Amino acid sequence: MEQRISLVTLGVTDLARARSFYESLGWEGQTVQDTVFHQAGGLAFVLWAREKLARDCGLEDTRQSGFGGIALAHNVRSPREVDELLATAESAGATLTRPAATTFYGGYAGAFVDPDGHAWEIAHNPGFTLAADGSLTLPDFDSL
Amino acid sequence: MEQRISLVTLGVTDLARARSFYESLGWEGQTVQDTVFHQAGGLAFVLWAREKLARDCGLEDTRQSGFGGIALAHNVRSPREVDELLATAESAGATLTRPAATTFYGGYAGAFVDPDGHAWEIAHNPGFTLAADGSLTLPDFDSL
């Protein structure tokens, strides 16, 4: 297995609402057969009906709310961008779940859940390099 | 918000088991303060204690099993690789939840859940370009 993720698919209960939420944050996607595909760097970020996604995974969808056991993060280049993006997300219908604050690693971050309860952290982490194209490179932690 | 994901963090109940599972699949990570960071193309794939991740997201962890509402996919370059990777995953402790089969879009795919129940699809999709570095590019669906 090569060390990479090809797609991240969020199960959503209202595709139009989910698409609109991410559009409000600046994402542009293509809708194909009730699925919204967004190019996100070297992977695809996808919105699809939650029950279809569960079935496609061979799983039963027994839960409609609460922490799903996974979090996505979007890193930005300054603390100010953290505040701006959290405000944009809240205006677009997100629920802020952790107010922006300084973090133990010397960064600044806050968190929200999208209208379907999917968790996002918005972070400025000066230890993680963000390239011009937005790709993130981890440090060699041993060298820190 | 730039159109990208910086980190994907899986909440796990046994960090050593989770790390070992992904190592069995070929992933190499760095463990820092009870967190495993893997470079995965332009993002970081992270393993962290589920209760800490929930708390960090400002959420309560009310559920320990079942579909989490999100799926990751790993696309490969041939149907044979799908079969091989599903077999490797099963040997490593995954539960196969959908046997590999031809898909409606002319591909070949199957699905498993990792030891913490996180859903992965392994897919060969000839319509999604995989670059030599493993990055995925969506087609212009209108042109298909």
Side-chain angles (χ1 to χ4, degrees):
Chain A
M1 186 174 193
E2 292 171 35
Q3 197 153 320
R4 55 186 173 72
I5 297 170
S6 306
L7 296 90
V8 174
T9 303
L10 302 188
V12 303
T13 55
D14 180 333
L15 188 69
R17 179 184 67 176
R19 179 181 176 142
S20 170
F21 173 75
Y22 285 98
E23 281 177 351
S24 297
L25 267 54
W27 292 68
E28 293 178 15
Q30 303 183 67
T31 301
V32 186
Q33 296 173 333
D34 297 328
T35 312
V36 186
F37 292 92
H38 305 84
Q39 185 74 42
L43 60 77
F45 175 67
V46 184
L47 306 174
W48 199 24
R50 185 180 167 107
E51 73 276 12
K52 292 180 186 171
L53 181 61
R55 198 181 315 134
D56 195 60
C57 292
L59 297 170
E60 192 182 353
D61 185 14
T62 53
R63 186 190 59 89
Q64 292 297 331
S65 63
F67 178 59
I70 189 166
L72 305 176
H74 180 85
N75 283 24
V76 294
R77 294 179 175 77
S78 68
R80 187 173 53 81
E81 281 180 87
V82 173
D83 289 330
E84 289 171 353
L85 185 42
L86 290 174
T88 301
E90 191 167 27
S91 298
T95 301
L96 295 191
T97 50
R98 199 185 84 219
T102 302
T103 65
F104 74 91
Y105 54 77
Y108 183 76
F112 67 82
V113 293
D114 80 4
D116 284 282
H118 296 294
W120 279 93
E121 181 179 56
I122 308 299
H124 173 242
N125 182 342
F128 288 4
T129 305
L130 275 185
D133 69 358
S135 63
L136 179 145
T137 303
L138 291 167
D140 175 357
F141 289 97
D142 287 339
S143 72
L144 298 183
Chain B
M1 186 176 192
E2 293 171 35
Q3 197 152 319
R4 54 186 175 72
I5 296 170
S6 306
L7 296 92
V8 174
T9 303
L10 301 188
V12 303
T13 55
D14 180 333
L15 189 70
R17 180 184 67 174
R19 179 179 178 145
S20 171
F21 173 76
Y22 285 97
E23 281 177 351
S24 297
L25 268 53
W27 292 69
E28 293 178 14
Q30 302 183 67
T31 301
V32 187
Q33 294 173 336
D34 295 327
T35 312
V36 186
F37 292 92
H38 306 83
Q39 186 73 42
L43 59 77
F45 175 68
V46 184
L47 306 174
W48 198 26
R50 185 180 168 106
E51 73 275 11
K52 291 180 186 172
L53 181 61
R55 197 180 315 132
D56 195 60
C57 292
L59 296 170
E60 192 181 353
D61 185 14
T62 53
R63 187 191 59 88
Q64 292 296 331
S65 63
F67 178 58
I70 189 166
L72 306 176
H74 181 84
N75 283 25
V76 293
R77 293 178 176 78
S78 68
R80 187 174 54 81
E81 281 180 86
V82 173
D83 289 331
E84 290 172 353
L85 185 42
L86 290 174
T88 301
E90 191 167 26
S91 297
T95 302
L96 296 191
T97 51
R98 198 185 85 219
T102 303
T103 65
F104 75 92
Y105 54 78
Y108 182 76
F112 67 81
V113 293
D114 79 5
D116 285 282
H118 296 294
W120 279 92
E121 181 179 55
I122 308 300
H124 173 242
N125 181 342
F128 288 4
T129 304
L130 275 185
D133 69 357
S135 62
L136 179 145
T137 303
L138 291 167
D140 176 356
F141 289 97
D142 288 339
S143 71
L144 298 183

